[in-house]
Amino acid sequence: MNRKATTLLRWAMALPCVVIMLAPSAWGQGSPTLSKVEQTGMITLGYRVSSVPFSYLDEKLNPIGYSMDLCYRIVDAVKVKLKLRNLQVKLFPVTSATRIPLVVNGTVDLECGITTNTLERQKSEAFSVTTFVAVSRLLAKKSSNIQTLSDLQGEPVASTVGTTSIRNLHELNLAQKLDMKILAGLDDAESFQMVQTDRAVAYLMDDVLLRSLVASAKNPAEFSISNESMSIEPYGIALTKGDAAFKQLVDEVLVGLFRSGEIHTIYYKWFQSPVPHKGINLQLPMSAALKKAIAAPTDSGDPKHYE
């Protein structure tokens, strides 16, 4: 074989390697999620229909909220990353029961709701750095004089299916031998309604959601929220597990908001101002735990990290 033929053969043999090396760069830097988004021209956001003020429907049935604002900032970064000015955003409704399976199977790229990051959930899905820290408490009618778990001995108590709160309620019921009758609502509104209609004497859920439900009730003064907290609930934006490049992009966007201080403006809009289209103000200052998570961003699913 002459020198020219040898050179051509070596070039041809090297060509497939060149294509393989360029493919990840062209299709999302080795990220399965970004690759899919680039090929389809679409990114899918999971939203909740009534989780005020994180993710809920406005008067035109468009999902808005604190979590939605954060997710749209991530969408903007994806547009820049992939150079897709006309990137379409598909909005997909999720519930407390469906949100995790829809992230795991890739139907939803970003779950923009109120999902607690736990060590157990990290086995099946990934989480962004923490965006909010709640604590679970009891809601009850003031007339029932419910203040602590011990007041619930033998009583019907509500929580919402698919949440950490209902899991914690079952564990506390067994550990403290309270003999409670645990009722599972399909969503937060149904669980709250059980208390309103006296089917349950109390409702265990994250304090920020309880504040929203009470503020929206016809007679807010009828209800009280316990001082006793049952668990710490760090929220994060859920995404597909094992996609390090996509998670890095998501975290970079959020940490950028933290470092610039813009997160405080976004927080004030949803938690210390009139909630858009709802006519309520939660008047909820940023907690010390959230301030800590903003100063030192973390995706830890261990509640002890936030104490």
Side-chain angles (χ1 to χ4, degrees):
M1 185 178 294
N2 60 37
R3 181 178 298 177
K4 184 176 180 180
T6 301
T7 301
L8 288 172
L9 180 60
R10 288 176 178 173
W11 180 84
M13 291 176 65
L15 183 59
C17 295
V18 173
V19 173
I20 292 171
M21 290 174 65
L22 291 178
S25 176
W27 291 351
Q29 299 293 336
S31 161
T33 303
L34 293 176
S35 175
K36 179 184 69 173
V37 170
E38 185 171 43
Q39 292 179 66
T40 61
M42 179 185 297
I43 188 168
T44 303
L45 308 185
Y47 70 91
R48 302 291 291 270
V49 299
S50 59
S51 296
V52 180
F54 295 92
S55 182
Y56 65 98
L57 298 179
D58 65 13
E59 293 174 338
K60 296 182 179 180
L61 302 182
N62 296 315
I64 61 174
Y66 175 75
S67 297
M68 294 302 300
D69 276 3
L70 299 182
C71 279
Y72 277 121
R73 294 304 183 92
I74 296 167
V75 170
D76 289 340
V78 171
K79 288 181 181 179
V80 173
K81 178 78 171 177
L82 300 180
K83 299 179 181 179
L84 292 175
R85 295 178 57 185
N86 298 319
L87 176 64
Q88 295 182 33
V89 177
K90 181 179 180 180
L91 300 169
F92 199 101
V94 301
T95 67
S96 57
T98 65
R99 55 188 169 172
I100 294 175
L102 289 172
V103 170
V104 172
N105 69 20
T107 300
V108 168
D109 299 314
L110 294 168
E111 196 268 298
C112 313
I114 47 169
T115 300
T116 300
N117 179 2
T118 69
L119 298 176
E120 181 63 27
R121 285 175 175 171
Q122 284 182 6
K123 295 177 182 178
S124 59
E125 61 182 345
F127 288 87
S128 71
V129 292
T130 296
T131 58
F132 192 86
V133 183
V135 295
S136 63
R137 301 183 191 275
L138 290 169
L139 177 149
K141 288 184 176 180
K142 290 180 179 177
S143 58
S144 66
N145 199 31
I146 299 294
Q147 296 295 328
T148 66
L149 274 175
S150 60
D151 297 326
L152 299 175
Q153 183 77 44
E155 298 285 0
V157 182
S159 194
T160 305
V161 67
T163 64
T164 53
S165 291
I166 197 166
R167 183 197 66 193
N168 292 337
L169 191 60
H170 279 290
E171 291 175 352
L172 290 167
N173 192 30
L174 291 174
Q176 299 187 26
K177 299 180 180 180
L178 295 172
D179 195 30
M180 292 183 291
K181 179 183 178 182
I182 298 175
L183 306 177
L186 294 178
D187 54 29
D188 297 321
E190 183 177 42
S191 298
F192 181 42
Q193 187 179 41
M194 291 182 189
V195 177
Q196 292 175 298
T197 57
D198 297 318
R199 287 181 58 200
V201 298
Y203 169 35
L204 181 69
M205 185 44 63
D206 302 348
D207 55 352
V208 61
L209 300 177
L210 296 180
R211 276 176 173 261
S212 173
L213 290 166
V214 170
S216 301
K218 291 183 179 180
N219 184 14
E222 184 180 3
F223 305 95
S224 64
I225 299 173
S226 69
N227 291 323
E228 181 183 33
S229 62
M230 312 303 163
S231 63
I232 298 174
E233 308 287 333
Y235 293 174
I237 296 171
L239 54 150
T240 302
K241 185 177 177 63
D243 194 337
F246 186 52
K247 174 171 164 52
Q248 181 180 354
L249 183 150
V250 170
D251 286 345
E252 285 176 352
V253 172
L254 296 175
V255 172
L257 294 175
F258 296 173
R259 291 177 176 169
S260 69
E262 193 173 355
I263 190 65
H264 294 281
T265 302
I266 298 172
Y267 184 94
Y268 188 85
K269 171 185 176 182
W270 295 104
F271 298 98
Q272 295 180 279
S273 304
V275 178
H277 304 287
K278 289 297 178 181
I280 60 175
N281 188 335
L282 298 181
Q283 299 181 353
L284 183 64
M286 188 177 289
S287 67
L290 181 54
K291 289 179 180 178
K292 177 183 175 182
I294 288 173
T298 177
D299 61 359
S300 174
D302 185 353
K304 294 180 181 178
H305 189 97
Y306 303 91
E307 294 178 348

